[in-house]
Amino acid sequence: MNTENVTIILAAGKSTRMKSSLPKALHPIAGRTMLGHVLSTVASLENSSPVLVIGPGMETVADHAREWVPAIATAIQQNQRGTGDAVKAALLAIASKAGVALIVFGDTPLVRHETLSDMIKACTGNTAVVVLGFVSANPAPYGRLVLDAQKNLTKIVEAKDATPEEFAIDLCNGGAMAIRIEHLASLLDKLSDGNKAGEFYLTDVVAHARAAQLGCTVVIAPEADIQGVNSRADLSAVEAEMQRRLRAKVMADGVTLSDPDTIYLSADTVIGQDVTIGQNVVIANGVTIASGAVIKPFTHLEGATIAEGALIGPFARIRPGSEIGRDVHIGNFVETKKAKIETGAKVNHLTYIGDARIGERANIGAGTITCNYDGFNKHFTDIGKGAFIGSNSSLVAPVKIGDGAYTGSGSVITKDVAPDALAVERNKQFEKAGWAAGFRARFQHLKKAPK
Ligand code: UD1
Ligand code: CA
């Protein structure tokens, strides 16, 4: 008999309050979609395979889910008739005959793995239903958990359907639920839409389970973990909480954040020990920073690796495909893209390095530009180790500067430069003695007298 656990992820809701052409589950939090967060949280639950419930026409959501879990099962809920109806839609995709069906929402990305794991563990023996509960400072919109005198969960009432006494309860339904698969179909069969919303509420399974002498219990989590996203305002609140978590995690791992509230991390950011990050730094997706690197204020990084001891910023922009080597210095107003900058090289001021390699200990002068794009194709600039690029050089790619070569300041370099050579491309300077003094004397009469 198949006794595998399943995780049912509900993402079929219409989410009208988001006012977006993008399905709600695909909105990003810390650079990762909400659905991506949920899938990565449930991925590590033991012995559990996921089933994603989406609405008709939400194929982009299924495609995205397959990037996380290639073999994920999907179910279509034809009409959005409530959370109970959505779980029913998943039944056909469930082969398992026993075990735990864990139901989570695609719009609640802060729920923790440990909490879900506790719910699965509690859903055993006669305990057929485990509800995720939380005590809310502002319970108004949530379903309320109604307990009997022995503190056993007897039912859940939606806010809309609550009596004044029930409305006063501050113990709320967090949405996620674990249900024994043996009882799942029969409990769902008992749901009706006879309520204020005219929906099949998943929450009604509690009362039906109790009526069938089955046990129901609650696993409590902090309110911050339960925050769901129904609107853009919720999205920003969940982003803020996710950022708090990511910052706390890297600080616990030995990273100094000079002013944590101004530093933005991504869900996939990897930072080594003894890295220091200054104020107002944004780390977008795909960044790895090795031990001892220093990221100075107002720097933006994305899709880049930063090696040990590198010094980046202030005001640097490190774009995708940048590989910043050991002890490299990247200074203010420097932009790098698809660039390999090798050990000890320096690119300190006002420079664009794109589609390029910069060899070990090369020095790139202020205002250097790799001219990598001709309107159709990108071309490569290769700068050898120990080369010295004079300030304000334009390196018109494809071009190769040999090891140890120099380019004169202000040169437009269009041909390869041999190792250890000097290439200068600019007009000879000429001088007219006394010209400036003569010029001033000629026009002196136009100058207004000071008042
Ligand atoms: C739900 C709970 C409520 C709880 C709250 C916590 C029910 C009836 N109510 O209310 O007790 O306090 O979550 O946040 O369960 N969905 C579908 N198909 C549908 C309807 C919804 O897939 O037909 C999905 C949504 O995409 C969403 C999730 O289910 O991911 C929750 O739906 P939502 O309408 O947001 O439920 P709430 O009103 O927040
Ligand atoms: Ca919701």
Side-chain angles (χ1 to χ4, degrees):
M1 191 171 71
N2 186 341
T3 60
E4 195 189 43
N5 293 342
V6 296
T7 304
I8 303 167
I9 300 136
L10 302 189
K14 287 217 163 68
S15 42
T16 43
R17 281 171 287 175
M18 289 297 284
K19 303 213 169 99
S20 178
S21 56
L22 187 68
K24 181 161 73 175
L26 300 188
H27 280 261
I29 303 283
R32 175 178 292 177
T33 62
M34 280 195 265
L35 183 59
H37 282 286
V38 172
L39 288 171
S40 68
T41 304
V42 302
S44 44
L45 294 171
E46 277 161 51
N47 176 36
S48 188
S49 60
V51 178
L52 175 69
V53 181
I54 52 173
M58 289 171 71
E59 265 309 308
T60 50
V61 179
D63 289 345
H64 178 71
R66 280 188 281 270
E67 289 172 22
W68 286 92
V69 186
I72 193 167
T74 56
I76 312 266
Q77 183 193 17
Q78 288 302 340
N79 300 299
Q80 280 62 67
R81 303 192 60 197
T83 47
D85 182 61
V87 177
K88 260 190 206 170
L91 282 179
L92 277 178
I94 300 173
S96 186
K97 299 285 174 245
V100 178
L102 176 72
I103 297 143
V104 297
F105 292 172
D107 66 355
T108 315
L110 294 166
V111 172
R112 290 179 198 265
H113 171 266
E114 297 75 19
T115 307
L116 298 177
S117 179
D118 287 349
M119 290 174 67
I120 293 173
K121 278 187 210 125
C123 194
T124 181
N126 191 50
T127 304
V129 179
V130 179
V131 171
L132 173 60
F134 67 106
V135 176
S136 179
N138 178 21
Y142 297 108
R144 307 297 205 280
L145 305 190
V146 181
L147 308 182
D148 64 17
Q150 289 75 47
K151 303 266 179 224
N152 292 314
L153 179 62
T154 57
K155 65 172 178 172
I156 305 178
V157 287
E158 287 305 292
K160 281 181 189 160
D161 305 298
T163 63
E165 297 76 50
E166 289 165 345
F167 199 78
I169 296 171
D170 65 357
L171 181 61
C172 296
N173 175 24
M177 206 181 273
I179 303 178
R180 293 291 315 170
I181 291 173
E182 303 90 288
H183 303 296
L184 183 62
S186 68
L187 288 172
L188 292 173
D189 263 348
K190 294 187 181 117
L191 299 181
S192 88
D193 59 359
N195 51 54
K196 286 264 166 62
E199 288 186 358
F200 294 91
Y201 292 155
L202 177 63
T203 44
D204 286 345
V205 300
V206 170
H208 294 305
R210 289 301 305 267
Q213 317 302 321
L214 296 167
C216 297
T217 157
V218 184
V219 166
I220 303 278
E223 182 165 20
D225 293 6
I226 309 296
Q227 291 179 72
V229 175
N230 295 314
S231 65
R232 305 279 178 151
D234 294 341
L235 189 70
S236 71
V238 169
E239 174 78 43
E241 174 61 21
M242 190 68 83
Q243 290 297 337
R244 274 192 284 277
R245 282 190 191 179
L246 293 170
R247 292 165 188 147
K249 165 88 173 59
V250 297
M251 287 191 282
D253 289 347
V255 175
T256 294
L257 301 182
S258 303
D259 183 359
D261 290 350
T262 69
I263 295 167
Y264 291 84
L265 307 172
S266 290
D268 68 355
T269 302
V270 179
I271 310 182
Q273 212 173 299
D274 289 319
V275 166
T276 296
I277 301 180
Q279 297 84 344
N280 296 290
V281 167
V282 175
I283 302 181
N285 280 336
V287 173
T288 300
I289 304 174
S291 307
V294 176
I295 313 295
K296 294 189 175 177
F298 297 97
T299 290
H300 189 285
L301 303 107
E302 180 175 8
T305 56
I306 313 295
E308 291 83 0
L311 217 75
I312 315 283
F315 297 99
R317 177 156 183 227
I318 308 299
R319 291 175 53 203
S322 297
E323 287 175 51
I324 310 297
R326 255 193 306 121
D327 302 323
V328 163
H329 291 188
I330 303 282
N332 43 270
F333 306 107
V334 170
E335 174 180 348
T336 67
K337 184 219 73 167
K338 265 200 190 164
K340 185 165 197 277
I341 305 188
E342 294 174 354
T343 305
K346 290 188 176 138
V347 190
N348 271 330
H349 335 265
L350 303 162
T351 290
Y352 173 63
I353 301 293
D355 301 292
R357 175 191 76 101
I358 295 179
E360 276 177 37
R361 284 171 289 96
N363 188 87
I364 309 299
T368 297
I369 305 288
T370 55
C371 311
N372 59 328
Y373 187 48
D374 59 15
F376 298 95
N377 294 300
K378 303 279 170 66
H379 302 283
F380 194 74
T381 300
D382 189 70
I383 299 174
K385 69 173 174 204
F388 186 99
I389 306 300
S391 294
N392 206 28
S393 291
S394 297
L395 308 174
V396 182
V399 71
K400 186 174 161 70
I401 313 295
D403 291 352
Y406 270 62
T407 67
S409 297
S411 295
V412 178
I413 302 294
T414 54
K415 296 191 204 106
D416 290 356
V417 179
D420 296 320
L422 165 69
V424 184
E425 191 283 336
R426 63 183 182 226
N427 285 341
K428 278 228 155 61
Q429 186 168 325
F430 70 94
E431 192 167 315
K432 287 189 173 180
W435 181 91
F439 180 80
R440 276 194 294 271
R442 248 172 83 201
F443 291 108
Q444 191 56 41
H445 66 282
L446 294 177
K447 220 176 181 180
K448 286 197 185 112
K451 281 180 190 150

